[in-house]
């Protein structure tokens, strides 16, 4: 009996060890992604026009953050951070200085908005803090030294995650130094460095990409990141980076193992030149998060197609049902009466993806596009809700963009 | 039945039949076209195919009737289809099996609704293209691609003929091509400029449609501003057509021994392009460059180019012979941003034999009651040969840009000028007369070598680490030029002063110029360091002002050698003229250091507008020195000057996307004109009978201040573009170098250069241009411009101060119409008016005006036959002289033959009314000249042309 039990335990252990060395591979073929109508995917779609006055007029939604009490937008054109109510009413605006560009982050736990502004003259980054409705907080602004520390994503409990790069610039020789692609900070001190990368050992990655894209959605103090080219997905929390699964794409959209393991500088430089205008190769995956059994992610290529379409090379944002294995592409969703035959996304969705908050997706549409599409679909006699009717009556093509809020079924 | 009742019945029946016919035609008109509609979807994955191509053909002859791309809902609707005709619909999409269906639209089921059409994926491999049907248009990423095979044209159509038929394309009369109203800024062939020129017609009018795989249109797009983008077009050649040659050989002969011959052959492959051209004629068709010859020898021929005609206004009889060779080699066949390496060479030879014969009357106003009138009869023969060679090597990388250029020219000319002049005073009589014969020969060789190197600051690309403390980008350019001129000549003249002049004298001159040589060398260096602010202030913003420092240094070493000798009538031998024989060496240095301060203000809102203001201030000093040493002591002189010559400009640009773009510009510029040795201390050549320059070594430089303002407006709407511009400038000159003239009793002028106050110049010009195209077949163009110049020239006449105010207006109005490439028509009206007022002479005035009205047109009917005609009515008037009117009428008929239309025979009739006159009608300050030159006159000519061409192996 004892021998039997020991053997069984050993067998289980061996099996477990064998199993733990293999990670799950999720095979994604964009050409097999499903589409459908808006009402098949979303239970509710709302359009929220943003108030357009002389004071609140801005150019473009460069960054979008949704909170319980506000819609926060960073606009590159006017260097402003704007705050609107969830219904689109203007609250306030923080104007940045000319030639200084900012990045905004929101920490849900403390309801704190951080505006990080890079000063190209001093090479410093200045951090200022505001409430979710744009009121300055009584926290002393912080000045940091390196430009690379701008993009700090709050994980909660005072911890932040950021990324480093190991890019080998054209004409440069790879150096034998190791950097952690992911770093955790607390109180502006390095807490942990993870996912080590060496330019000489990981020459292919450092030549063709060299950096990691940070996700936007933090769930349970963790965020998912994917290593470019090999697409291994890690769950990063303050102390660990655990490999969870790997995306596998069709051969013509991936790099071969020979290239990924190559140390041939000439070959890798040639490939880098060849793919400089490539629209098919998946360079990395970002915006990864889960909602129950649904996995959401976005693929990124070297160059994005700007014209909207449903082709294999025009789709970037996906939903993967981990239960059924069914893949859907958000760009393949067609407008219908539930969203008044108006567009769901603007060009930004190709490059930046959608925002996700409280089980809703958010995107923005320019007023130029709203009015153009309204004119094209007038013959379908859509019944607009009151706020959209008011918007079309009082605004024009030059007004502020409109926020689209979509609740998944 | 009586005649009357029959007539009534006939009338009634006719009316009834007419009504029935009208009613029937009305009904037929309503039902005469059909519509087919449907929706396209992927068969497996439940999404619409919004980038599919839907095309409908007539089954009988496979002619394309309609095509479209679906909307965002996958829906399509194709109208204007024939009823009761068997049609075929084909739906294609990359990665899918083609869908085909035959159908007939019946009147009782119109529109025909095909409902959902499901396309099946043929392969999971994105790279595999399974389109077998000829999809007329498709979206390939961001590029709209037209498939030439889907568009039927005549057998020998060129790329331009194809583009005329593509929806959205318009070929304008001035050679521009627009797509959906937006101008195509560049037309490439396989991604590269064709035949090394900016002329898009070289590609569009020579490449046959059959060599084209695709016509691609793409936007260099600012994604945030979809209304604003630069449009480019690319002619992608078929894989087996990437090599080829094309050309033209032509010979013409006509009455009065007129002839013309043209030849052009151009060849290309993936890396290399080469063109050789040549032309010879005696009908005033003169080209000034290899590009001009290539343009004028296109396969399409002159066709609707109603501006390419022999030049009937050119003075004299010309016999030009020109030839050129052009070569381009791309070391890197695929050109990319900051990654190219190219060599261009260009050789051009130009020979002309000109004979100009004319007679003129020049009136010079001395005082209100005193006008000098000079009557001249002259004959000038000039033979010149110019050869020019240029080579340019360019390399562009992430770290630097390098250009090396070399140019050389060899020019030789031989001219003989004979004239008889008579000078008289209006209120008196003949004061003097002269006869002269002047011959000149010149051989000049010059070459220039220049190199420019720009080092990029950040090593190219995006800096991910802190920029260097000391930015190292800079630009340096060095040019070296050397010119060697060898001249010689002779002058034989006789001057007779009549007793009326008080000096009854007769002088004969027989002078030989054994040498009139010069050797000129110059070195020019230009440097600029654009990061001065960062160097001095490091991280300081300095209010976002940019500082650049740099300058130019120009150094010249010029040497002149002259030898002259006069005939000793006693000894019959030529004796050296020691006054005119000698050497002169001139050294000039011109240093201009500068500091550039600039600031850019920018404001923009995505897809709405962008506005910017740029302010530029250049603080520039000029250190100019001249040192002259010569055989004649009077020409040993030197001077040094130092001036501050600043510049300033403010430009405001307001671009409202999809609506208009307006630019306001204000400029202030200064410059200094330095006196030449020949103004300060000229040597008087006595064979120059009428004009005797005098020395004034105390002349100072003149300092010019120019103020300019301009406004331009261009519409940016899809249809019917228009543009408007207006500009004005004013120049004030301090210490203006002006003439102080003494007219002696014989009518000769002694002239000094002096400094005066009060030099002013005003100038205004305005223009408007509009095109109107109600559909793709018809185009109307309207252009007008107006120009006015006013000079206030202070001077002295016989010690009395005078101001000569000259005003010149010119206006031009053009109206053009084109119907496809079949009809082109233009109406043009031009007027120029000149008025010169002498203030000190009670505002006595000279005025003259020239007017012309032109009507021209071309008709291609049938396809192989081109009819062309243009008529120009000219009228020239000058005060106190009768008006001169004449009309020039030219016509031609051309016929294309041979299977590929490679042969052409043409009959031309030029100056049918035989009225052409070479009128000279000009004014300058207190002088007015009116007269006639010999010009080209009536001839008839027969031309034969052959266009050799082959594309692919």
């Amino acid at each position: 009996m004892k021998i039997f039990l020991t053997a069984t335990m050993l067998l289980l252990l061996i099996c477990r060890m064998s199993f733990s060395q293999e990670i799950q591979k999720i095979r994604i073929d964009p050409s097999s992604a499903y589409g459908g109508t808006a009402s098949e995917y979303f239970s509710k779609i709302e359009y929220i026009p943003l108030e357009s006055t002389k004071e609140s007029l801005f150019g473009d939604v460069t960054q979008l953050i949704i909170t319980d009490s506000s819609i926060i937008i960073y606009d590159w054109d006017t260097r402003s951070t704007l705050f609107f109510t969830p219904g689109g009413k203007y609250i306030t605006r923080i104007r940045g200085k000319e030639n200084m560009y900012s990045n905004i982050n929101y920490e849900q736990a403390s309801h704190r908005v951080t505006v990080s502004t890079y000063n190209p003259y001093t090479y410093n980054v200045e951090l200022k803090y505001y409430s979710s409705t744009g009121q300055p907080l009584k926290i002393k602004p912080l000045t940091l030294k390196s430009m690379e520390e701008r993009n700090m994503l709050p994980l909660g409990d005072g911890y932040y995650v950021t990324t480093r790069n190991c890019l080998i610039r054209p004409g440069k020789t790879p150096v034998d130094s190791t950097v952690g692609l992911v770093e955790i900070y607390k109180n502006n001190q390095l807490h942990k460095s993870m996912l080590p990368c060496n330019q000489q050992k990981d020459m292919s990655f450092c030549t063709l990409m060299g950096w990691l894209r940070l996700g936007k959605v933090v769930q349970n103090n963790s965020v998912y990141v994917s290593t470019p080219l090999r697409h291994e997905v890690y769950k990063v929390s303050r102390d660990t980076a655990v490999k969870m699964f790997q995306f596998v794409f069709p051969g013509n959209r991936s790099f071969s193992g020979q290239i990924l393991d190559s140390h041939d500088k000439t070959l890798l430089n040639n490939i880098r030149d060849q793919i400089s205008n490539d629209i098919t190769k998946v360079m990395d995956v970002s915006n990864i998060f889960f909602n129950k059994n649904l996995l959401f992610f976005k693929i990124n290529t070297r160059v994005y197609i700007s014209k909207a379409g449903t082709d294999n090379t025009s789709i970037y944002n996906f939903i993967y049902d981990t239960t059924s294995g069914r893949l859907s592409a958000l760009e393949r969703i067609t407008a219908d009466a539930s969203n008044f035959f108006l567009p769901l996304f603007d060009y930004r969705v190709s490059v930046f993806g959608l925002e996700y908050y409280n089980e809703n997706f958010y995107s923005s549409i320019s007023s130029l596009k709203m009015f153009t599409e309204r004119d094209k679909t007038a013959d379908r006699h859509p019944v607009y809700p009151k706020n959209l009717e008011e918007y079309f009556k009082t605004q024009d093509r030059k007004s502020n963009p409109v926020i689209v809020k979509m609740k998944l079924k | 039945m009586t005649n009357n009742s029959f007539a009534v019945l006939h009338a009634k029946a006719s009316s009834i039949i007419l009504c029935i016919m009208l009613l029937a035609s009305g009904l037929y008109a309503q039902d005469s076209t059909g519509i087919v509609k449907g929706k396209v979807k992927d068969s497996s994955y439940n999404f619409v195919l919004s980038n599919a191509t839907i095309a409908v053909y007539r089954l009988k002859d496979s002619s394309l009737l309609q095509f479209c791309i679906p909307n965002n809902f996958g829906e399509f609707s194709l109208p204007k289809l024939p009823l009761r005709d068997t049609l075929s619909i084909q739906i294609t999409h990359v990665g899918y099996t083609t869908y085909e269906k035959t159908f007939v639209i019946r009147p009782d089921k119109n529109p025909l609704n095909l409902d959902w059409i499901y396309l099946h994926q043929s392969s999971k491999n994105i790279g595999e293209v399974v389109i077998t049907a000829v999809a007329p248009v498709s979206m390939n990423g961001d590029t709209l691609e037209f498939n030439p095979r889907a568009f039927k044209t005549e057998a020998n159509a060129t790329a331009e003929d194809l583009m005329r038929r593509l929806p959205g394309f318009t070929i304008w009369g001035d050679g521009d091509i627009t797509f959906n109203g937006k101008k195509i800024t560049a037309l490439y062939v396989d991604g590269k400029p064709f035949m090394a020129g900016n002329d898009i017609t070289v590609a569009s009018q020579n490449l046959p449609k059959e060599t084209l795989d695709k016509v691609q249109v793409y936007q260099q797009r600012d994604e945030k501003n979809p209304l604003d983008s630069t449009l480019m077009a690319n002619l992608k050649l078929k894989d087996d057509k990437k090599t080829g040659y094309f050309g033209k050989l032509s010979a013409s002969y006509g009455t009065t021994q007129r002839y013309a011959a043209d030849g052009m052959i151009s060849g290309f492959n993936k890396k290399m392009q080469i063109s050789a051209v040549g032309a010879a004629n005696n009908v005033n068709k003169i080209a000034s460059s290899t590009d001009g010859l290539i343009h004028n020898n296109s396969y399409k021929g002159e066709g609707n180019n109603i501006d390419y005609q022999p030049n009937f206004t050119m003075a004299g009889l010309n016999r030009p012979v020109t030839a050129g060779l052009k070569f381009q080699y791309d070391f890197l066949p695929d050109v990319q941003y900051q990654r190219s390496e190219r060599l261009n060479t260009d050789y051009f030879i130009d020979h002309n034999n000109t004979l100009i014969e004319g007679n003129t009357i020049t009136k010079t106003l001395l005082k209100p009651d005193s006008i000098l009138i000079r009557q001249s009869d002259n004959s000038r023969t000039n033979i010149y040969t110019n050869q020019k060679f240029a080579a340019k090597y360019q390399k562009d990388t992430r770290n630097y840009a390098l250009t090396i250029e070399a140019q050389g020219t060899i020019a030789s000319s031989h001219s003989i000028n004979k004239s008889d002049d008579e000078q008289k005073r209006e209120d008196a009589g003949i004061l003097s007369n002269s006869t002269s014969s002047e011959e000149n020969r010149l051989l000049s060789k010059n070459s220039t070598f220049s190199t420019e190197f720009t080092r990029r600051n950040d090593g190219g690309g995006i800096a991910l680490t802190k920029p260097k403390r000391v930015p190292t980008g800079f630009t340096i350019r060095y040019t070296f030029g050397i010119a060697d001129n060898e001249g010689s000549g002779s002058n034989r003249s006789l001057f007779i002063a009549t007793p009326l002049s008080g000096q009854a004298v007769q002088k004969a001159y027989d002078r030989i110029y054994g040498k009139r040589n010069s050797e000129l060398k110059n070195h020019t260096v230009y440097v600029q360091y654009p990061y001065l602010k960062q160097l001095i202030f490091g991280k300081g913003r300095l209010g976002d002002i940019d500082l650049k420092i740099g300058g130019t240094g120009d150094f010249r070493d010029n040497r002149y050698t002259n030898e002259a000798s006069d005939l000793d009538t006693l000894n019959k031998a030529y004796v050296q003229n020691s006054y005119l024989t000698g050497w002169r060496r001139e050294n000039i240095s011109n240093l201009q250091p500068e500091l550039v301060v600039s600031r850019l203000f920018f404001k923009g809102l995505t897809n709405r507008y962008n506005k910017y203001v740029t302010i530029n201030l250049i603080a520039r000093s000029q250190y100019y020195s001249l040192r002259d040493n010569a055989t004649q002591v009077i020409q040993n002189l030197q001077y040094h000057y130092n001036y501050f010559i600043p510049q300033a400009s403010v430009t405001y640009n307001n671009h409202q996307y999809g609506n208009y773009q307006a630019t306001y510009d204000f400029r202030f510029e200064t410059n200094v004109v330095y006196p030449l040795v020949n103004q300060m201390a000229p040597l008087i050549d006595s064979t120059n009978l009428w004009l005797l320059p005098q020395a004034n070594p105390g002349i100072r430089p003149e300092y010019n201040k120019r103020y300019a303002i301009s406004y331009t407006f261009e519409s940016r709407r899809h249809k019917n573009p228009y543009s408007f511009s207006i500009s004005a400038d004013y120049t004030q000159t301090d210490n203006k170098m002006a003439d102080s003239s003494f007219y002696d009793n014989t009518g000769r002028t002694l002239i000094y250069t002096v400094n005066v106050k009060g030099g002013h110049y005003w100038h205004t010009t305005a223009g408007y241009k509009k095109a109107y195209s109600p559909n793709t077949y018809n185009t109307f163009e309207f252009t007008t411009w107006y120009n006015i110049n006013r000079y206030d020239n202070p001077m002295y006449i016989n010690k009395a101060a005078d101001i000569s105010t000259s005003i010149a207006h010119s206006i031009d109005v053009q109206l053009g119409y084109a119907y496809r490439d079949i009809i082109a028509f233009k109406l043009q009206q031009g007027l120029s008016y000149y008025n010169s007022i002498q203030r000190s002479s009670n505002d006595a005035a000279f005025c003259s005006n020239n007017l012309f009205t032109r009507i021209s047109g071309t008709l291609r009917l049938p396809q192989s036959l081109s009819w062309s005609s243009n008529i120009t009515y000219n009228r020239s008037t000058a005060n106190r002289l009768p008006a001169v009117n004449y009309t020039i009428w030219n016509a031609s008929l051309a016929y294309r033959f041979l299977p590929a239309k490679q042969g052409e025979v043409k009959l031309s009739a030029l100056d049918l009314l035989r009225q052409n006159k070479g009128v000279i009608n000009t004014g300058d300050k207190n002088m007015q000249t009116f007269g006639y030159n010999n010009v080209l006159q009536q001839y008839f000519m027969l031309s034969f042309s052959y266009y050799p061409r082959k594309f692919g192996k």
Side-chain angles (χ1 to χ4, degrees), chain B residues 417-484:
Chain B
N417 189 11
K418 293 179 183 170
S419 66
D420 293 309
D421 297 88
E422 181 183 271
Q423 186 87 287
K424 66 181 181 185
R425 187 165 295 157
E426 197 172 54
D427 56 347
I430 298 172
L431 302 174
S432 58
N433 56 57
S434 71
T435 303
S436 67
S437 169
E438 194 179 330
E439 182 178 0
N440 287 299
R441 291 175 193 274
L442 180 65
L443 172 66
S444 62
K445 292 173 258 187
N446 62 69
S447 55
T448 310
F449 167 81
S450 68
T451 178
E452 181 175 308
F453 178 78
T454 297
R455 184 184 146 80
R456 298 197 160 102
N457 181 41
D458 59 0
I462 300 166
L464 293 178
T465 55
K466 212 180 283 187
K468 296 178 207 170
R469 170 70 178 90
V470 176
T472 53
F474 65 89
T475 296
I476 182 164
R477 183 166 62 237
Y478 169 69
T479 304
F480 170 68
I482 183 164
D484 185 36

Side-chain angles (χ1 to χ4, degrees), chain B residues 522-536:
Chain B
N522 76 284
H523 303 262
T524 308
V525 178
Y526 167 79
V527 272
Q528 190 188 70
Y529 178 69
Y531 302 105
L532 185 66
K533 183 182 86 171
Q534 291 86 331
L535 182 70
I536 297 174

Side-chain angles (χ1 to χ4, degrees), chain B residues 345-357:
Chain B
T345 64
D346 187 348
Y347 171 74
F348 184 70
I349 181 167
D350 170 24
H351 170 91
N352 198 353
N353 189 332
T354 308
L355 171 64
I356 301 177
E357 291 169 330

Side-chain angles (χ1 to χ4, degrees), chain A residues 319-382:
Chain A
I319 306 171
Y320 179 78
D321 188 327
T322 55
T323 312
S324 65
R326 177 175 156 131
L327 180 71
S328 302
L330 294 177
E331 289 94 340
R332 284 183 171 173
I333 297 173
T334 311
D336 62 10
S338 70
N339 71 317
F340 327 109
F341 305 104
L342 294 169
L344 291 168
F345 323 110
D346 211 331
Y347 76 94
R348 290 182 74 248
V349 77
S350 308
V351 182
F352 302 109
L354 296 164
E355 304 306 313
Y356 181 76
Y357 179 77
N358 218 7
E359 300 189 0
N360 282 291
F361 282 106
Y362 291 84
S363 72
S364 65
I365 313 274
S366 66
S367 282
L368 173 66
K369 187 157 184 179
M370 287 289 288
F371 277 84
T372 305
E373 295 299 318
R374 178 204 65 168
D375 293 344
K376 281 186 192 170
T377 56
D379 58 344
R380 295 171 195 272
H381 309 294

Side-chain angles (χ1 to χ4, degrees), chain A residues 134-314:
Chain A
Q135 308 311 312
L137 295 178
K138 285 178 187 168
I139 303 173
K140 192 179 171 189
L142 198 63
T143 301
L144 302 174
K145 277 194 182 163
S146 169
M147 175 179 90
E148 292 170 330
E149 291 168 33
R150 273 177 58 198
N151 193 12
M152 295 281 226
L153 185 68
L155 286 179
D157 298 330
Y159 290 91
Y160 293 83
V161 59
T162 188
T163 58
R164 299 290 301 277
N165 82 77
C166 63
L167 176 69
I168 304 170
R169 288 169 59 193
K172 300 291 183 191
T173 309
V175 295
D176 184 15
S177 70
T178 302
V179 296
L181 293 176
V182 171
E183 288 181 341
I184 308 293
Y185 282 78
K186 180 162 185 175
N187 297 328
N188 293 315
Q189 300 295 319
L190 179 66
H191 170 75
K192 196 130 187 158
S193 179
M194 296 183 261
L195 302 183
C197 174
N198 181 292
Q199 282 190 346
Q200 286 185 349
K201 290 180 187 155
D202 303 300
M203 199 186 287
S204 174
F205 163 68
C206 294
T207 304
L208 299 179
M209 185 84 181
W211 56 286
L212 208 71
R213 207 185 298 258
L214 205 55
K216 289 187 268 195
V217 179
V218 175
Q219 294 173 311
N220 301 320
N221 303 115
S222 303
V223 69
Y224 289 94
V225 298
S226 169
T227 57
L229 310 186
R230 293 186 196 271
H231 313 304
E232 292 165 341
V233 179
Y234 290 80
K235 185 174 176 180
V236 173
S237 36
R238 71 187 197 200
D239 292 311
T240 56
V242 179
K243 193 187 289 189
M244 303 299 292
F245 57 89
Q246 182 183 21
F247 286 113
V248 180
F249 295 96
N252 65 321
R253 301 204 69 175
S254 316
F255 293 95
S256 68
Q258 190 187 359
I259 292 172
L260 294 176
D261 296 329
S262 172
H263 290 85
D264 183 341
K265 203 167 125 185
T266 307
L267 170 69
L268 292 173
N269 283 332
N270 283 342
I271 291 173
R272 174 170 51 200
D273 289 341
Q274 278 168 30
I275 63 170
S276 60
N277 289 321
D278 190 272
I279 57 171
T280 59
K281 294 274 189 257
V282 179
M283 300 302 292
D284 70 305
V285 183
S286 65
N287 295 25
I288 305 167
F289 61 93
F290 282 88
N291 185 326
K292 297 173 195 151
N293 63 315
L294 299 178
L295 169 63
F296 297 84
F297 62 94
K298 179 184 179 304
I299 62 174
N300 300 294
T301 50
R302 187 66 95 193
V303 172
Y304 300 90
I305 291 184
S306 58
K307 186 167 163 43
T310 55
D311 297 356
N312 299 335
T313 50
S314 301

Side-chain angles (χ1 to χ4, degrees), chain B residues 600-658:
Chain B
L600 168 71
F601 299 89
F602 177 85
K603 187 176 169 186
L605 285 189
T606 297
N607 72 52
R608 274 154 275 184
Y609 66 84
N610 84 61
K611 301 179 193 176
Y612 67 81
V613 175
T614 58
I615 300 174
N616 268 303
L617 301 169
I618 303 178
R620 185 188 290 142
S621 262
Q622 186 173 33
Y623 299 90
Y624 192 94
S625 67
L626 178 144
R627 189 171 66 239
D628 204 77
N629 290 308
T631 311
Q632 295 297 330
V633 171
I634 190 177
Q635 292 190 323
N636 286 342
L637 40 82
Q638 63 179 9
Y639 59 68
H640 311 278
Y641 289 103
N642 172 22
Y643 285 97
F644 180 57
I645 48 168
Q647 276 188 32
S649 67
V650 180
T651 303
Y652 169 59
N653 184 294
N654 178 2
H655 185 178
Q656 300 285 334
Y657 299 130

